[in-house]
Amino acid sequence: MKKLYYENAYTKEFTANIIEVKEQDAKFHIVMDQTSFYPEGGGQPNDLGKIDDSAIEYVYEENQKIYHVTEQAPENFYNVKCQIDWERRFDHMQQHLGQHILSACFEKLFDGETIGFHLGTDTVTIDITMENMLPSQAEKIEYLANQIVFNNLHVHQRYPNPDELKKMPLRKPPKVSDNIRVIEVDQFDYSPCGGTHPSYTGEVGIIKIRKWEKMKGGIRVEFLCGNRALKDYHWKNNSINKISALLSVKDIDAYEGIDRLYNEYGQMKKEIRHMKAQLTDYEADFLYDRSDVHKKTKLLVKVFEDRDINELRVLAAKITSKPDIIILFGTKQDLKVQMLFSRSKEIDINMNQLFKEVAPMINGKGGGNPQSAQGGGSDVSNLEGALQAAKQIIQNRYL
Ligand SMILES: [Zn+2]
């Protein structure tokens, strides 16, 4: 079987004869006498495309045969027309050769060895044996990689004999023992590889490192080449333009603008926290002073609209730090109700027990301790009723 993608990586259309069809799990695994569809392998994803009118879903190699998986059974076996999804293939070629170049730069500049390569739909990464990388180092690597692109070096595929192989300064040892294929980027890099690559480095387009992170045994570097880099640049440029317009700063000052805004925001949050605390102090004093007095004990019953329970808890704690007061708070929020019962520490009433007595009235649950209890319920209509019932119990039983 001829692997046309090794004879010419730019073959987009070809004709072939189907020599074997295997039916498996309602799919057809087709073998042809020649193919330009690249099977998944060596970090490079498989090609897609069509055999006549059947869409190819997957291509893989097994026992020296290349299988093309389709949903439809083939109708013709001779001179079938095959068409490669070229946009996808060329993208893989750009990312793949970009990886060779980038890996070579890591090795030449910082002795970083490539121990992993992943070419995904959304991200492309290489794993490098460097403990960490400084931004200045990344910049040097990127710069060299792009000079290799701009110099438009010829990319050769070589099938060296054992003697020639020994003389080649291979970047990594080959994974196979016969028919070793070496991709040479014109005296710059020699790497054993079974993938597809453009003929000149210029076709890779820009090589851009996006980010990197530490991982076990090194760093994982995410990068993009060619059209992917262009698309990445496109949305980033849009983003920066929008941000700089929003902040009324030059695009190059967008980060400083955000940084300043973020600091201001932090400052304001602090001020708001401080003001809220002050306001709560005033509110606590106000409510305390205006509470009804029953036989020397103040009784404060109040329903709040849409007030956060945590805020109410702070308010309640401030009020009950003063002497001789019982508070029965309720709040309605998003079709739910919450109640908070609390008292000054010297009053001898079990608020937890009281809460549990009236909680069923709001279809609620919760609890606490003798001094303070809280909980939520689903019956919004009966909140006032429940608070009044609790007030009655206090007046009748305790005061
Ligand atoms: Zn390769």
Side-chain angles (χ1 to χ4, degrees), residues 51-304:
I51 298 175
D52 278 341
D53 287 327
S54 306
I56 294 174
E57 295 177 351
Y58 185 53
V59 186
Y60 65 97
E61 187 166 8
E62 201 178 86
N63 301 323
Q64 277 112 49
K65 284 182 190 172
I66 294 171
Y67 292 92
H68 309 74
V69 183
T70 63
E71 195 150 296
Q72 268 169 270
E75 283 173 16
N76 303 316
F77 285 74
Y78 299 103
N79 286 324
V80 290
K81 285 200 172 70
C82 300
Q83 197 174 13
I84 288 189
D85 177 344
W86 180 248
E87 202 180 311
R88 176 181 164 94
R89 157 68 86 72
F90 187 64
D91 169 58
H92 293 160
M93 284 162 58
Q94 283 189 315
Q95 310 311 317
H96 194 151
L97 185 57
Q99 179 263 311
H100 281 236
I101 296 169
L102 203 55
S103 287
C105 295
F106 268 102
E107 202 207 29
K108 284 177 203 299
L109 291 176
F110 300 108
D111 272 333
E113 194 190 323
T114 299
I115 49 170
F117 170 44
H118 171 77
L119 203 181
T121 320
D122 300 317
T123 57
V124 193
T125 59
I126 42 174
D127 298 338
I128 304 282
T129 58
M130 275 168 79
E131 226 167 85
N132 207 347
M133 179 161 65
L134 300 169
S136 59
Q137 290 177 309
E139 213 173 295
K140 278 190 184 130
I141 288 164
E142 221 173 60
Y143 185 79
L144 177 59
N146 283 286
Q147 300 323 299
I148 298 302
V149 171
F150 303 151
N151 282 310
N152 206 19
L153 303 183
H154 199 173
V155 179
H156 310 270
Q157 55 173 342
R158 308 258 187 231
Y159 292 93
N161 63 38
D163 283 343
E164 291 167 328
L165 190 67
K166 265 183 215 156
K167 287 178 201 149
M168 276 187 180
L170 295 185
R171 179 157 49 76
K172 57 179 186 184
K175 282 183 184 154
V176 291
S177 46
D178 347 292
N179 258 336
I180 294 165
R181 179 169 178 262
V182 174
I183 299 303
E184 179 193 344
V185 178
D186 204 8
Q187 300 177 50
F188 175 74
D189 184 50
Y190 297 79
S191 179
C193 183
T196 56
H197 313 80
S199 299
Y200 290 90
T201 58
E203 293 170 74
V204 173
I206 199 103
I207 298 176
K208 184 77 192 91
I209 292 174
R210 290 187 87 225
K211 55 189 170 192
W212 61 94
E213 59 182 12
K214 278 192 178 197
M215 49 156 247
K216 212 178 152 208
I219 50 170
R220 175 158 293 173
V221 181
E222 192 185 324
F223 68 98
L224 290 175
C225 306
N227 278 320
R228 289 198 194 201
L230 182 64
K231 280 181 192 155
D232 195 55
Y233 197 177
H234 180 81
W235 75 257
K236 279 181 176 153
N237 195 49
N238 267 349
S239 253
I240 291 291
N241 283 347
K242 279 186 193 161
I243 291 168
S244 51
L246 213 56
L247 302 178
S248 304
V249 298
K250 284 185 192 161
D251 52 7
I252 200 160
D253 298 326
Y255 173 75
E256 279 70 25
I258 292 277
D259 194 45
R260 193 170 53 238
L261 207 63
Y262 192 74
N263 284 331
E264 278 171 17
Y265 168 74
Q267 200 60 41
M268 276 180 184
K269 260 187 17 186
K270 234 189 260 172
E271 272 172 40
I272 286 172
R273 217 165 24 234
H274 181 69
M275 280 158 72
K276 265 192 177 169
Q278 255 183 346
L279 202 62
T280 309
D281 283 343
Y282 283 118
E283 195 181 12
D285 288 345
F286 179 83
L287 291 173
Y288 184 80
D289 292 343
R290 299 224 169 168
S291 302
D292 297 335
V293 181
H294 296 262
K295 300 178 185 165
K296 281 175 34 184
T297 301
K298 284 173 175 275
L299 193 51
L300 174 58
V301 182
K302 192 166 171 58
V303 172
F304 298 84

Side-chain angles (χ1 to χ4, degrees), residues 294-361:
H294 296 262
K295 300 178 185 165
K296 281 175 34 184
T297 301
K298 284 173 175 275
L299 193 51
L300 174 58
V301 182
K302 192 166 171 58
V303 172
F304 298 84
E305 293 289 334
D306 218 19
R307 186 92 176 253
D308 181 60
I309 189 71
N310 294 317
E311 244 177 78
L312 285 185
R313 212 158 37 203
V314 175
L315 179 64
K318 280 195 171 150
I319 298 172
T320 55
S321 68
K322 301 170 193 289
D324 292 320
I325 186 160
I326 300 166
I327 56 174
L328 305 173
F329 279 174
T331 178
K332 296 176 188 176
Q333 229 183 354
D334 306 327
L335 298 173
K336 267 183 163 181
V337 288
Q338 301 250 29
M339 294 196 302
L340 171 62
F341 295 181
S342 189
R343 60 160 170 81
S344 309
K345 59 178 185 299
E346 67 282 358
I347 296 174
D348 188 19
I349 299 178
N350 189 327
M351 302 309 280
N352 187 34
Q353 197 184 316
L354 181 67
F355 183 90
K356 291 202 157 130
E357 250 179 277
V358 300
M361 293 180 69

